[in-house]
Amino acid sequence: MSTNETPAESTDFIRDIIREDLASGKHDGTVTRFPPEPNGYLHIGHSKSICLNFGIAAETGGRCHLRFDDTNPIKEEMEYIESIQTDVRWLGFDWGEDLYYASDYFETLYGWAEELIEAGNAYVDDLSADEIREYRGTLTEPGRPSPYRDREPGENLDLLRRMRAGEFADGERVLRAKIDMASGNINLRDPVIYRIMHVDHPRTGDAWCIYPTYDFAHGQSDAIEHITHSLCTLEFEGHRPLYDWFVEHLSVPSAPRQIEFARLNISSTVLSKRKLLRLVKEGHVDGWDDPRMPTLSGIRRRGVPPEAIRNLIDRVGVAKRDSVVDYALFEHCIRELLNKDAERRMAVLNPLKIVITNYPEGASEELAAVNNPEDPDAGSRMVPFGRELYIERDDFMEDPPKKFFRLAPGREVRLRYAYFITCNEVIKDSDGEIVELRCTYDPATKGGDAPDGRKVKATLHWVSAAHAVEAEVRLYDHLFEVEVPGADGDFVDDLNPNSLEIRSGCKLEPSLGPFVPGEQVQFERLGYFAPDTDSKEGALVFNRIVTLRDTWARIRKQQGR
Ligand code: ATP
Ligand code: MG
């Protein structure tokens, strides 16, 4: 073994299968793909598929394609095509030259449709969508054949060509594969493979007015691209016999092997593009990249580093059984990473002014503060200190209960990296609201320790009033107030009305001014934060990525849930 120790290789049933296929010589390389439909933004569920497909390709020296399964022009948009590429790249993966679109194969797929007709394996059906559904039968009853099922190939070919030529209206006719109306697998009961849609396609424009269904395009696109292992989620298990049937009955260039795995589900959120689109359209959130959204763009905007998502996916693993991952595990992965990587800074979110009466007026000094106690290489910085400071309003109580150890009248506490201070006087306005504290400091405690060994029970963070930069800070909570949104009713009714709290007039130490989106920082004692994309010089906006401790679990316990 070399001195460069290789990390233990993670494995799962899919990687086992692939390793066997390579060892047995069935394949001499792997080609996988991530196949999004461009009908919405990617969410954290998709990262499981992305990490799996790109991960396996990287581990086996293969390739992973990014392929847009863009067969439904009604729901698809260029905006989604672009956002998906941005998100996959941000997550840390690269498809190189291998960017494909199912729409590039429309002509080939159409040719295969004619091939099916010529072999007596497909027919044009004049039944309406409702009738087709009715004839299809149920899980317990077999389907009935359409009266058009036995059309001759010649007539079918003529009708399909006229469908393509635009002679018929939307929904007037469809092309169906002729398989088995009595099959126990409903997917095999003569599935529709082409439908008429007089709609422009984001990529092919008005070239087509008939479009293949997802089921007719997906497996064949894999075959065209010589995908060796087509990895998809469990809901496609029942479609596998259909994809295999197409591969058997068509002159496709390869036969990919489909393997299904369980979707990633996370508590207290929804992972479905349809539901996320509704949140956006109905204005429950501020767009796809709202930092409360489980979309990759929302998670990125909030400030979560992509590595935290990759770590979560690693930890969850790949299995065949569906399960729900606790949101707290995701937060744990974020904290674990940022505790190691994020520099510490001081910020006061709910400021209370204090005046150090024995500190010379107009004077200031710089005190050394450690950037990251977990990382000696991160060094230290200088933090300005002066006569007027801000501390957190919560860190003072005029009439403290027994267990409150922070600042109170007559009590001494430590200001981090600075001095011991004692509160002598509380100043209030005419409404009785505390507006200022008068304190004294002990110059001998510079750096935060008393030479005489006397102790204090609390260390507070603070910011110098003369040097502070102002910011708006956005505090986020779960987007939904229940673990399974929509479990009893409409998921929208389960939205958390307190998922966003905006604090304005927050006071930050000046070294936070230059932080930009994508850079994370710990505000001491408060949590991990990152600048929002709304942040501008002179009008800083920070997002709370995650608190330091798992408040959520505690709140839920208190609520007795
Ligand atoms: P949604 O249900 O959110 O609309 P989808 O499955 O329709 O998602 P696609 O664009 O078809 O979205 O998904 C692209 C790939 O990502 C598919 O292979 C799909 O199986 C996979 N995928 C989607 N959601 C998840 C998830 N929650 N966990 C793992 N893989 C997922
Ligand atoms: Mg899908």
Side-chain angles (χ1 to χ4, degrees), residues 366-399:
E366 302 235 298
L367 302 167
V370 172
N371 282 334
N372 184 353
E374 302 290 321
D375 176 11
D377 291 343
S380 62
R381 68 190 184 285
M382 301 309 282
V383 183
F385 183 90
R387 182 178 154 93
E388 297 196 352
L389 309 168
Y390 293 107
I391 62 165
E392 215 66 67
R393 208 160 259 279
D394 290 353
D395 281 338
F396 175 77
M397 278 185 95
E398 193 174 16
D399 193 9

Side-chain angles (χ1 to χ4, degrees), residues 33-37 39 43 45-46 48-49 214 231-233 235-236 261-265 271-274:
R33 86 285 171 270
F34 173 61
E37 201 183 330
N39 59 356
H43 51 65
H46 290 111
K48 182 167 178 182
S49 177
Y214 183 88
L231 313 177
C232 62
T233 37
E235 71 268 26
F236 291 102
F261 61 94
R263 297 173 81 83
L264 174 67
N265 301 302
L271 297 183
S272 144
K273 283 184 284 192
R274 187 174 48 79

